[in-house]
Amino acid sequence: MFMKIDRLLTDLPEPKKPEPNAAAALQELLGGKYGEMSTLGNYMFQSFNFRNKTKLRPFYSLVSSIFAEEIGHVELVSTGIAMLNNGPGNPAKDVDISKAPFAEMQDVRLAGSFLANGGGAMPMNANAASWNMDMVTTTGNLIIDLLHNFHLECGARIHKLRVYETMIEPTGREVCAYLLVRGSLHAHAYALALKKLTGVEIEKMLPTPNIDLSRVPECQKYLDEGKHRRLYTFSEADYQEAAGVWSNDEVALPGDPPGNLEVVDGYPEGGKIPELDGNYGAFAPDYAPEEIFEIASKLYKKGR
């Protein structure tokens, strides 16, 4: 079972203005081949289908812990997309819809994000191709699945770096930076799991692609906090056996700030869920939402 916490994995800076084309680029990190929907789908179904969970508990706990984090990654990228996508157009109340208040959408790469989704995120890539189950690998063979996961995280790293290189918007850059640090940790974790099973020092292939995260300014605070060394279980008491793989006798990758690896029970403190303003010309949540707000206010007071 799962527990939902009303927090993001990290704080995201508010955009100063709508940047729907930046949001379109960020969609690649959500619904692309190496996006967060793919990492989530792979680790989720590998966890559900895992054979001999008790006898292979350290590896099952590792995959399960990373799977739980990936749900938060999907939420983080989706939130960044929605923040950047919140427009363009005239969001004022009582906007004259006959005056084409959203004419600018004709020049936006993914107009469907507005036309169909009201400016929200969807499981698609930067070209609006839908994410699908063909991007999930779960073979039942532990070594093959772990090797695939290592490849997936390395592929995700290069995609994050490429998307980052397109970005000048602080919101999108923050999403990329956080995911670069945590994705590098996941690649390291799968490399160590394969080394425990096969003796092959796959972690020596890291970082792949070969770029030091010290060259990404937005990554620095996460590296300084030790986010590159801390594997979270996302559970108060379960999945602690992941420490057999992500063990404190192993150290951070060369090029990253030094220190021993840690397994942390639970989840990170995280950041605030941003408040997205309504866009009444886009009927989000409605053209004249006063009655909806009044109903919600009464329900909120009743629920408290």
Side-chain angles (χ1 to χ4, degrees):
M1 66 179 70
F2 308 101
M3 181 172 66
K4 179 82 167 65
I5 308 297
D6 195 23
R7 302 275 289 171
L8 277 184
L9 285 169
T10 191
D11 285 309
L12 295 179
E14 291 281 347
K16 294 182 179 179
K17 62 186 181 69
E19 297 283 0
N21 286 333
L26 210 57
Q27 277 284 165
E28 190 67 27
L29 302 189
L30 181 61
K33 180 177 180 179
Y34 295 104
E36 301 304 327
M37 285 296 298
S38 290
T39 49
L40 169 63
N42 277 268
Y43 311 155
M44 177 168 64
F45 284 100
Q46 288 175 16
S47 173
F48 294 163
N49 296 331
F50 205 99
R51 301 295 196 266
N52 297 310
K53 289 184 173 73
T54 301
K55 292 181 179 179
L56 297 173
R57 189 74 189 185
F59 302 103
Y60 168 63
S61 293
L62 181 75
V63 173
S64 296
S65 297
I66 297 177
F67 145 48
E69 180 171 349
E70 294 297 342
I71 301 175
H73 286 193
V74 169
E75 180 182 41
L76 182 70
V77 180
S78 297
T79 301
I81 291 168
M83 292 169 73
L84 288 166
N85 238 353
N86 203 18
N90 186 345
K93 297 177 68 173
D94 301 322
V95 62
D96 187 347
I97 61 174
S98 70
K99 301 293 186 182
F102 293 99
E104 295 171 75
M105 293 306 301
Q106 295 182 31
D107 299 320
V108 168
R109 280 181 53 200
L110 290 182
S113 291
F114 166 77
L115 299 171
N117 312 322
M122 287 293 284
M124 60 185 178
N125 70 10
N127 293 318
S130 296
W131 183 87
N132 64 76
M133 62 164 283
D134 292 340
M135 299 174 190
V136 173
T137 294
T138 172
T139 68
N141 182 296
L142 179 59
I143 293 176
I144 292 175
D145 284 351
L146 291 173
L147 189 60
H148 169 78
N149 296 352
F150 177 75
H151 156 78
L152 183 59
E153 292 291 351
C154 291
R157 179 181 168 91
I158 197 168
H159 273 60
K160 287 160 188 147
L161 284 166
R162 287 172 176 170
V163 171
Y164 176 85
E165 289 176 311
T166 75
M167 290 278 173
I168 57 173
E169 296 79 14
T171 306
R173 288 171 73 100
E174 195 70 29
V175 171
C176 292
Y178 184 86
L179 295 178
L180 277 167
V181 172
R182 296 305 294 173
S184 296
L185 180 150
H186 295 166
H188 190 189
Y190 290 129
L192 291 178
L194 287 162
K195 182 170 75 170
K196 306 287 185 186
L197 285 166
T198 68
V200 178
E201 296 179 318
I202 293 179
E203 78 278 11
K204 290 185 176 180
M205 295 174 61
L206 295 172
T208 302
N210 186 17
I211 185 170
D212 191 329
L213 291 184
S214 67
R215 297 172 61 186
V216 181
E218 292 83 0
C219 286
Q220 295 317 297
K221 61 178 175 292
Y222 301 120
L223 295 172
D224 293 342
E225 293 168 6
K227 282 285 199 293
H228 62 296
R229 299 185 292 106
R230 294 183 184 138
L231 179 75
Y232 299 94
T233 63
F234 289 87
S235 174
E236 294 181 354
D238 296 324
Y239 308 122
Q240 296 170 345
E241 301 85 0
V245 177
W246 193 256
S247 53
N248 62 15
D249 59 342
E250 300 276 2
V251 297
L253 293 171
D256 289 343
N260 292 81
L261 308 185
E262 306 172 28
V263 171
V264 179
D265 294 336
Y267 45 85
E269 180 181 353
K272 182 181 178 182
I273 296 281
E275 182 83 16
L276 295 176
D277 292 334
N279 192 322
Y280 309 121
F283 300 87
D286 205 341
Y287 185 66
E290 289 78 9
E291 290 184 6
I292 297 177
F293 290 158
E294 182 179 353
I295 293 168
S297 177
K298 291 178 180 178
L299 293 175
Y300 176 80
K301 291 176 182 178
K302 183 178 180 181
R304 303 294 287 184

